[in-house]
Structure formats: structure tokens, C-alpha cells
Amino acid sequence: MELTTVWFVLVAALFTGYFVLEGFDFGVGALLPALGRDERERRTLLATIGPVWDGNEVWVITAGGAMFAAFPAWYATLFSALYLPLLAILVALILRGVAFEYRGMRDDPGWRARWDAAIVFGSTAPAFLWGVAFANIARGLPLAPDGDYAGGPLDLLHPYALLGGLVTLTLFVTHGAVFLALKTAGELRVRALRAAARVGPVAFVSVTAFAAWTLTVRASAASVVAAAAAVLALAAALAANRVRREGWAFLGTALTIGLLVVCLFAALHPAVLPSTLPTGDLTVSNASSSPYTLRLMTWVAAIFAPLVLLYQGWTYWVFRKRIHTGTADADHY
């Protein structure tokens, strides 16, 4: 396998890890006012993601860095074309991170309510905008002969992109609800199961429609298999949620998110950014760095990637237990 293809797969794997892990973070943040009926419950909800949310965001930083180093032309064109939605995502993530740290610093209901609103916005806005962004990547963008984006901001908001945003938003909320059912006990667990049961069918319909539409836009044998498997995984997750098997339900929603990302990247290859104009696509060949750069990056990744995975796996293992309302686990938030 050529190194350009290896790094295309690695970028896809990094985004897959990011959406699977950060997806439940976004879902928990979006559900904060709906499931947390008093301050103790809201602190408990935040404590479920408190030890891991910042580590989950490292995945997207690493994905962006890998894209920049391995495919600089892809990085430059994509981040200029999607400048406004990506800037909005960045601002929302910054606001969300500040809100996690600041909400518990004053014993003032108004103060906490404002930061809670920031958490909800900082969770729902990126959850929607990531779907818009990746739907545009899958569909293709109008690229000028020099590779620059030839469209405007409103050109990004076509029906396929809006459906993509609905998919990620509803799927992440479902993923977050199932995660909360897995991590909490008592009444909070019951509410989380109910939330997943209510949002899950909307996610299922939107995922099915988006997968079918994607395969009409561009498809490969691998993308067809991944799309079908994603729909089946979500159906299995919702069935598991109905019988309160939240561990299996969480596995199902995680697989759904991962398989959807695989579907999009498998449909793209060998392109990294298709053009809707007759100017030619950006591909793994014409958008990549030099062979020397790719070889050097491969050695670095081979050494450090396993260490990062081991550390993050250890973090999830340490904080694997359920969190009960009113315990010391939630005091910080």
C-alpha cells in the first residue's frame, strides 16, 4: 500500500475516533438542561464526561495536524472553503471548554445558568456543523483551476449538507443519552434511556436517508457495505436500549458513527476533495506531501500513536464506574 493511501486511512481513523468519542460529549452537553432537573443532577451529568472530554478533543487536533502534514493542499483548500463553519466550531468548542471550568466557580444560580447555556450551545453547534462540513466534503466543492474555493458561504447550506447536520446532531444526542444511561444510576439513568428512545428514531430515519443519498452522490463497494452496516448497527442499538442493555446500545451507536465516517471516506478515495466544476479533484496523489515527509511521519506515528492510545484507554478504564447523584465525583462541577 502506498504511503499516500496509508495516511488517507490514518486521517480517516483519527476523525472516526474523534466523532465516536467527542460524539457522546456533545450529546451529554446538549442534554444537560433536559435531563438535569436541579444543580446536583447537572453536576452529575457533567461529571460523567469531566475526566475525558478534553482528551477526546485531542483527536481532532491530531487529525488536523496529520492532514496538514500529509496533504497540505487538501488542508489549505478545505480550511479556506469551510472557513466560516470551522471557525464557528472552534469558537463553540472554546466557549464550551471555558464553561466546563467556570460554571462551578461561583455559587450563583444565574452564573451557572449562563455557563450551562454556553455548554448547550458549545455542544449542539459543533454537532450540527460537523455534519454540514463532512457532507460538503462528500458531495464536493466548486474548486477553481488553482484549487481555490470558487463558491460562497451560502453554497455550503444545500439540502444534503443540512441533512448531514441533522444526522450528526441527532446521532450524537442519542449516543450521549446512551452513554449517560451507561454511566449513571437511578432516575438519571431512566431519563437517559427515555431520551435515547425518543431521539433515536429521528436519528435512524435521518441516518438511513443520508446513507442512501450519499451512495447516489458517490459510492464504492466498501462504502455500500459500511452504510448498510451503520444502519443495522443503529437499529440494534435502539433495540438494546429498549431492553435497557445500555452497554450494547452504546456499542451500537459508536459503531454507527464510526461506520458512517468510514462510508464517507471510502466513497471519496482516491479523491480527498472532489470538485463540482470540471477542474479536477484533489486526490491522495496531487494533494500529498513529498515521499520523504510521509516516510518520516510514518515512523513518528508508529512510535507515538500506541502510547497515546494506551494512555487514553487507561483513562477510560480508571473512570469506568457509574456516577451517583450527590457523590464527591461531581463536586468540581
Side-chain angles (χ1 to χ4, degrees):
M1 184 184 295
E2 295 183 358
L3 285 180
T4 53
T5 301
V6 169
W7 276 96
F8 178 83
V9 172
L10 287 176
V11 170
L14 288 168
F15 275 111
T16 300
Y18 172 66
F19 288 130
V20 169
L21 297 176
E22 189 82 317
F24 68 75
D25 279 357
F26 289 148
V28 172
L31 290 168
L32 182 63
L35 299 186
R37 296 180 179 175
D38 57 36
E39 177 59 18
R40 294 176 65 199
E41 291 183 346
R42 286 188 287 272
R43 283 174 177 262
T44 303
L45 295 179
L46 293 176
T48 64
I49 59 173
V52 297
W53 69 266
D54 48 355
N56 293 343
E57 291 185 353
V58 172
W59 285 78
V60 74
I61 298 171
T62 308
M67 187 186 295
F68 172 76
F71 303 101
W74 183 18
Y75 179 93
T77 302
L78 185 65
F79 277 73
S80 61
L82 301 178
Y83 178 78
L84 287 179
L86 292 178
L87 177 63
I89 289 172
L90 178 61
V91 171
L93 291 178
I94 293 173
L95 184 63
R96 178 172 172 263
V98 172
F100 282 142
E101 300 298 332
Y102 274 48
R103 77 174 303 277
M105 289 189 174
R106 287 176 57 182
D107 188 16
D108 177 7
W111 168 271
R112 289 193 295 264
R114 288 189 290 272
W115 287 118
D116 287 349
I119 291 173
V120 173
F121 171 78
S123 300
T124 55
F128 178 78
L129 290 173
W130 275 122
V132 172
F134 269 81
N136 275 285
I137 295 172
R139 179 177 178 264
L141 296 169
L143 302 181
D146 59 0
D148 289 340
Y149 179 59
L154 295 181
D155 294 333
L156 303 174
L157 300 178
H158 46 83
Y160 178 67
L162 296 176
L163 178 60
L166 179 64
V167 166
T168 49
L169 178 59
T170 57
L171 188 53
F172 289 169
V173 170
T174 305
H175 192 41
V178 172
F179 175 78
L180 287 173
L182 185 63
K183 287 289 292 180
T184 59
E187 183 61 26
L188 276 180
R189 174 175 174 257
V190 172
R191 284 185 219 146
L193 290 167
R194 289 174 183 166
R198 290 168 183 165
V199 183
V202 181
F204 181 81
V205 172
S206 59
V207 165
T208 303
F210 182 75
W213 197 341
T214 299
L215 297 180
T216 64
V217 173
R218 62 186 71 254
S220 65
S223 65
V224 171
V225 172
V231 173
L232 291 175
L234 185 54
L238 297 181
N241 184 73
R242 286 179 61 88
V243 294
R244 299 193 174 191
R245 298 296 299 271
E246 53 265 34
W248 288 106
F250 182 75
L251 177 62
T253 53
L255 284 173
T256 303
I257 295 169
L259 287 166
L260 278 180
V261 180
V262 170
C263 172
L264 291 178
F265 276 91
L268 279 174
H269 190 267
V272 291
L273 187 59
S275 176
T276 57
L277 300 177
T279 53
D281 301 338
L282 286 177
T283 67
V284 293
S285 298
N286 63 26
S288 67
S289 295
S290 67
Y292 172 78
T293 301
L294 294 179
R295 284 196 299 270
L296 180 61
M297 290 172 54
T298 302
W299 280 107
V300 172
I303 294 170
F304 290 101
L307 298 177
V308 174
L309 290 174
L310 285 172
Y311 171 75
Q312 190 157 31
W314 174 81
T315 302
Y316 276 92
W317 176 256
V318 169
F319 295 101
R320 67 189 183 277
K321 295 181 180 179
R322 291 184 184 269
I323 297 177
H324 298 266
T325 302
T327 60
D329 296 318
D331 284 347
H332 175 70
Y333 305 96

